[in-house]
Amino acid sequence: MKEKLIAIIAEYLGKDASEIEADATFEDLGLDSLDIAELVMQIEDELSVTIELNAELNNIDKLVEYIENQG
Amino acid sequence: MLQSQLCELLGIKYPVFQGGMAWISDANLAAAVSNAGGLGIIAGMNSNREQLTAEIRKLRTMTDKPFGVNVMLMSPFVKEIAEVVVDEKVPVVVTGAGDPSPYMKAWLDAGIKVIPVVASVSFAKRAERNGATAVIAEGAESGGHIGKLHTMPLIPQIVDAVNIPVLAAGGIADGRGMAAALMLGACGVQMGTRFLIADECTIHDNYKDMVLKAKDIDTITTGERTGDACRALKNPFSKDFHKKEMVDCLPAEELAPLGIGALRRAAREGDVQTGSFLCGEIAGLVKERMSCKQIIEEVCTDCEKLLMGASKWVR
């Protein structure tokens, strides 16, 4: 799951997956709220999950935990 | 007479919303707009349960027409005001400053028409997927908290992306702006700045004077660096904030407290030095005080004339 999210975000940012730290905040990765909305739509489509945006979901680790808790 | 699916959908005469502006859009303004045939909207801002309930009940003594409440999703009281709109059977909820998904089901189940303000195609698609009745696509020409895209590119892209009605907002204050918005595929407009100078708008007279005197270049955006962009009239407060943000590069946590109380100081006290006078780029076009009824009828009549005359461009 984490690798998949990192891959999606790396592709979005045009970076290599190795450059993406899972505990860096989205803001530190250079993603603003419009980017996050865009990415979340993409992640929802690719992983068939539903994500409610909220300010606490601010890095990849937390997003992984959120998605896994949804079962 | 203009015709729009929005009018039938909401039971209003003109497809014109009055934006839910914090410290500005109270029961007086919203009731006047609704009585004039548009959709008046009370700003939920940071009101708590009692305050918002009182404002809604006050409006109901002033009009029996449909109206809306703007639920500001970043409010510390958002959970309780999300319940108030259900308890008070508010006909329309407009949301701003975030993703309304957690509340959408309860509102829709209660028969409320939900119309989120969106700033990009993704947010519009999310809103549609969650059952939104329509969306308001708001460009960065608007006053107050803004996104990044501007009205001209935003509207047609959202219109193409969703199958629900789209209202246009940001930079619209007259019949020309409305006609252009309809040509871009919108089925109605939301205006904020134009209503600031309405007779029924209860803001301080200094605020109205500043809007009436504003030129095209007289707004400034602050908070862009910290991802919290906000457009206001240039005054000592906004210029100083801008300098602290962009020149002195103060961190976000030192900038945030500067804004506390600034909206109230502008709207209620008319403090031209320390208030934050939120206002759109279109203020330069707003030159005359009039009633909400006059504003709405003028905008819609001019829009209609322009659309009727649009065939002059075609041979």
Side-chain angles (χ1 to χ4, degrees):
Chain A
M1 170 72 70
K2 191 192 266 191
E3 286 68 38
K4 185 114 200 193
L5 288 180
I6 290 180
I8 293 173
I9 292 172
E11 195 194 336
Y12 185 88
L13 290 168
K15 289 185 176 172
D16 191 83
S18 63
E19 296 173 71
I20 310 287
E21 304 278 347
D23 60 351
T25 65
F26 293 132
E27 196 184 340
D28 290 338
L29 293 171
L31 297 165
D32 65 22
S33 60
L34 298 181
D35 292 318
I36 294 167
E38 193 73 41
L39 269 168
V40 162
M41 290 287 285
Q42 214 174 313
I43 292 166
E44 286 179 328
D45 287 347
E46 290 191 29
L47 304 181
S48 304
V49 291
T50 331
I51 301 167
E52 279 175 13
L53 296 170
N54 82 57
E56 275 150 38
L57 281 180
N58 66 352
N59 69 31
I60 295 171
D61 283 336
K62 286 180 190 165
L63 195 53
V64 171
E65 198 189 322
Y66 175 89
I67 295 172
E68 285 176 348
N69 284 341
Q70 281 200 323
Chain B
M1 184 75 196
L2 287 174
Q3 55 170 339
S4 161
Q5 60 192 120
L6 202 64
C7 296
E8 286 124 58
L9 192 61
L10 304 178
I12 54 179
K13 187 174 174 195
Y14 299 108
V16 174
F17 284 20
Q18 154 259 314
M21 303 170 279
W23 293 102
I24 297 166
S25 304
D26 58 8
N28 287 296
L29 180 60
V33 170
S34 287
N35 281 331
L39 190 82
I41 297 174
I42 293 174
M45 51 178 196
N46 288 337
S47 301
N48 61 24
R49 179 187 297 277
E50 291 70 30
Q51 289 162 331
L52 183 61
T53 304
E55 207 61 28
I56 293 168
R57 290 182 183 174
K58 183 178 173 194
L59 174 137
R60 281 221 156 96
T61 67
M62 303 167 81
T63 185
D64 56 2
K65 298 281 195 312
F67 66 96
V69 167
N70 181 302
V71 174
M72 210 274 282
L73 296 160
M74 278 160 67
S75 161
F77 301 107
V78 60
K79 286 209 170 72
E80 58 185 80
I81 71 167
E83 292 167 7
V84 170
V85 296
V86 174
D87 296 345
E88 295 298 314
K89 300 188 168 52
V90 168
V92 179
V93 164
V94 171
T95 64
D99 178 18
S101 312
Y103 308 102
M104 295 271 289
K105 190 175 178 304
W107 290 337
L108 293 166
D109 287 351
I112 296 174
K113 298 193 169 71
V114 185
I115 308 185
V117 174
V118 296
S120 74
V121 167
S122 286
F123 277 111
K125 284 171 142 173
R126 277 185 86 76
E128 179 180 42
R129 194 184 63 190
N130 290 327
T133 312
V135 289
I136 300 171
E138 187 185 76
E141 297 92 328
S142 303
H145 289 279
I146 51 176
K148 294 194 169 161
L149 294 163
H150 292 75
T151 304
M152 184 73 93
L154 184 64
I155 305 307
Q157 294 188 70
I158 289 186
V159 166
D160 285 350
V162 298
N163 291 309
I164 50 178
V166 177
L167 286 94
I172 301 166
D174 68 3
R176 292 172 295 181
M178 183 171 186
L182 299 184
M183 285 289 108
L184 292 172
C187 63
V189 298
Q190 173 169 284
M191 300 189 292
T193 302
R194 181 75 195 261
F195 285 112
L196 289 173
I197 53 76
D199 297 335
E200 299 91 341
C201 178
T202 60
I203 57 172
H204 198 280
D205 228 35
N206 290 350
Y207 200 152
K208 294 189 179 183
D209 282 338
M210 285 170 73
V211 173
L212 292 164
K213 283 183 191 146
K215 300 186 298 295
D216 54 350
I217 56 166
D218 285 342
T219 70
I220 187 170
T221 56
T222 55
E224 272 176 309
R225 204 196 77 209
T226 51
D228 190 21
C230 187
R231 183 182 302 285
L233 289 169
K234 288 179 185 166
N235 74 332
F237 172 82
S238 58
K239 285 185 190 167
D240 181 59
F241 195 107
H242 190 259
K243 177 175 169 288
K244 288 194 166 100
E245 178 191 6
M246 304 307 284
V247 182
D248 307 339
C249 290
L250 292 190
E253 54 273 21
E254 284 181 44
L255 287 169
L258 301 176
I260 294 172
L263 297 183
R264 184 185 46 77
R265 289 197 297 275
R268 296 294 141 204
E269 295 164 22
D271 185 334
V272 296
Q273 298 294 320
T274 73
S276 176
F277 293 82
L278 302 186
C279 183
E281 279 183 336
I282 202 72
L285 220 65
V286 179
K287 292 290 170 218
E288 196 186 341
R289 293 171 193 249
M290 47 179 88
S291 68
C292 290
K293 186 169 190 286
Q294 288 171 309
I295 291 171
I296 293 173
E297 287 179 358
E298 184 203 276
V299 169
C300 290
T301 307
D302 288 352
C303 172
E304 202 181 311
K305 279 187 204 150
L306 287 163
L307 294 176
M308 296 283 284
S311 60
K312 72 177 181 184
W313 296 103
V314 186
R315 261 214 278 206

